[in-house]
Amino acid sequence: MAGTGLSTNIKLAYASPAFALAVVGIPVYVYMPKLYTDVVGVDIAVLGALLFGVRLFDAVTDPLIGLWSDATRSRWGRRRPFIAAGMALVALSLFFLFTPPDTRPTAAAVWFGVWIYVLFFFWTMATVPFEALGPEITFDYHARTTLFGWRDGALIAGTLVAAASPALIQALFGLGADARGEREKFYWMAILYAPLLLASGAWCVASVSERSGVSVAACTGLLRGIRALGRNRPFWVLLASYTISAVGNNLPATLILFYVQYVLESVRADLFLMLYFVTGILLLPAWIALARRVGKKWAWLGAMGVNSGAFTGVYFLGPGDTLLYGLLVVASGIGFGATLALPSAIQADVIDYDELQTGRRREGLYIGLWSISRKLAAAVGVGAGLALLGASGYTPNRAQSPEVVHMLRVLYALVPAICNLLGLVIAMTYPIDETLHRKIRAQIDARHAVPSSRRA
């Protein structure tokens, strides 16, 4: 993934928090719901409602933190103070969320509700400024693709580690498969993940300098700031396409443990997750190379088509079809890495378009809104997916009815394919290519050069 103008140390330092947050995020999104329903005893519908509610909470905090970091002036920059504090506080709140007390289901639900809100607030404090830092590291069209390829490649690598780590921790510490073993497994995850969060945040903050001479956006208020984005049509096209696709993509992430256990009647969900992530990270450099030849947009569309087209076949599988499932997972994983990295690189270009229109760098606001769409998509995936599963008659730790199995097939395979198809159609109208972006940057640079020449 060689890039232009950025050292390997800068790319690795910027990518490192993405790795750490992914290592933590997969247990939060994939493994923790099953811990709280099947071990702690929280009702699945209550859990789904709490997870949906915290995403609505994010809908407010994400752009507010983004606006706050946009308007921040400090000797350490706009983004780095938030990254340093946020990563430390994520580590702290993660420990409490992963170590629930052995208590009644109602009290456990309250515990979960409190700490999931605390965790997600500090997660926003770290991730929105961290992601907002990326678009200002380089303004080069292709160097951005490479930078975000490193960042999202690290995210996939962290996800791979996260997928493997529960089984590794269980084996390393000799933990049982019973409720006590599950609790101890999450305890050790919290203990081991905290130093990783702290170290990656420190490396990024110490190594990645913020750009000087940036036109800092004034803190204008959330609604006024959002209204000011109305003229940025490329952003809204990108956001709509990404959000619809993300709704579908979050359903498999939420339901894979349920699907593998109750539809395929297998216990190897960890193996399938590893196949998917390994394929995604190995093929990501090829997608970045393709984006240099055909453009970010067309490479992204191709990745979406491959990713969703292959996965549709999963709907038709049943008990014992693990080999076919593994093949479809690998085929779908071919496009996985590109569906993460390329939209991020495209988003940096629409932020430049906003600077051309407004004269301000407002990465925080844009990343905040982007984060809302990503988290609301996950909320629909978790909240609606688990609620529909519960409504169809799901009962933990027993063979499921045909209605539940059918619902799992529909939610896990068909709905994601439809969402990706709709997202692909919308993305075809995105207008900024390399030539247009070069013109946008030239006009911005010319505007910045005018005051200097007059002063001279």
Side-chain angles (χ1 to χ4, degrees), residues 56-403:
L56 298 180
F57 174 68
D58 279 341
V60 176
T61 58
D62 282 6
L64 285 177
I65 293 293
L67 281 169
W68 186 9
S69 69
D70 280 343
T72 295
R73 296 170 174 83
S74 79
R75 59 182 295 188
W76 300 282
R78 297 191 292 169
R79 318 296 182 190
R80 292 184 295 173
F82 289 92
I83 297 170
M87 294 293 277
L89 293 169
V90 165
L92 179 64
S93 52
L94 183 78
F95 176 82
F96 289 100
L97 184 65
F98 277 18
T99 56
D102 188 3
T103 185
R104 293 174 300 173
T106 301
V110 172
W111 177 276
F112 174 80
V114 168
W115 287 108
I116 195 68
Y117 274 80
V118 171
L119 173 69
F120 273 71
F121 177 78
F122 293 139
W123 194 286
T124 294
M125 180 184 291
T127 57
V128 170
F130 164 67
E131 292 182 16
L133 179 62
E136 65 181 84
I137 293 176
T138 177
F139 293 148
D140 182 83
Y141 183 82
H142 290 301
R144 278 177 167 169
T145 306
T146 302
L147 176 66
F148 289 111
W150 279 74
R151 188 192 74 184
D152 291 330
L155 186 150
I156 298 171
T159 304
L160 177 61
V161 171
S165 60
L168 291 175
I169 290 173
Q170 190 168 10
L172 180 64
F173 292 99
L175 307 178
D178 56 1
R180 179 179 177 182
E182 285 296 303
R183 286 180 174 274
E184 291 181 354
K185 181 167 63 178
F186 274 82
Y187 167 81
W188 283 111
M189 277 194 275
I191 293 295
L192 295 172
Y193 293 169
L196 178 63
L197 290 164
L198 295 172
S200 64
W203 187 15
C204 178
V205 167
S207 300
V208 181
S209 300
E210 297 192 38
R211 188 176 294 272
S212 60
V214 171
S215 297
V216 176
C219 193
T220 57
L222 178 57
L223 294 179
R224 185 176 175 184
I226 293 174
R227 283 197 299 267
L229 307 184
R231 294 181 297 162
N232 195 336
R233 178 180 172 274
F235 171 72
W236 294 112
V237 170
L238 180 63
L239 187 69
S241 173
Y242 179 84
T243 303
I244 293 172
S245 297
V247 169
N249 293 334
N250 274 282
L251 280 167
T254 302
L255 298 175
I256 182 172
L257 298 182
F258 299 94
Y259 178 89
V260 170
Q261 179 177 350
Y262 298 116
V263 177
L264 299 181
E265 297 182 2
S266 169
V267 295
R268 298 309 310 271
D270 55 343
L271 172 63
F272 299 123
L273 281 170
M274 290 179 65
L275 285 173
Y276 186 67
F277 297 134
V278 167
T279 305
I281 196 170
L282 289 178
L283 271 294
L284 180 55
W287 286 105
I288 292 175
L290 180 65
R292 287 179 172 272
R293 296 179 65 88
V294 304
K296 301 175 190 177
K297 168 186 169 179
W298 294 108
W300 178 37
L301 293 176
M304 289 172 64
V306 171
N307 183 258
S308 59
F311 205 68
T312 306
V314 171
Y315 172 79
F316 301 99
L317 303 183
D321 290 334
T322 52
L323 177 59
L324 284 174
Y325 177 69
L327 293 174
L328 289 172
V329 165
V330 169
S332 178
I334 290 172
F336 169 58
T339 62
L340 292 179
L342 293 178
S344 298
I346 294 170
Q347 182 196 51
D349 300 335
V350 304
I351 294 173
D352 288 347
Y353 182 63
D354 176 74
E355 183 182 6
L356 177 63
Q357 291 181 316
T358 67
R360 301 287 181 179
R361 295 296 300 182
R362 301 191 296 174
E363 293 94 341
L365 176 58
Y366 275 88
I367 297 298
L369 293 176
W370 185 265
S371 185
I372 288 175
S373 74
R374 184 170 58 224
K375 291 178 179 179
L376 285 180
V380 173
V382 174
L386 294 180
L388 288 170
L389 199 59
S392 67
Y394 171 79
T395 305
N397 302 316
R398 57 172 292 180
Q400 303 301 322
S401 67
E403 291 78 14

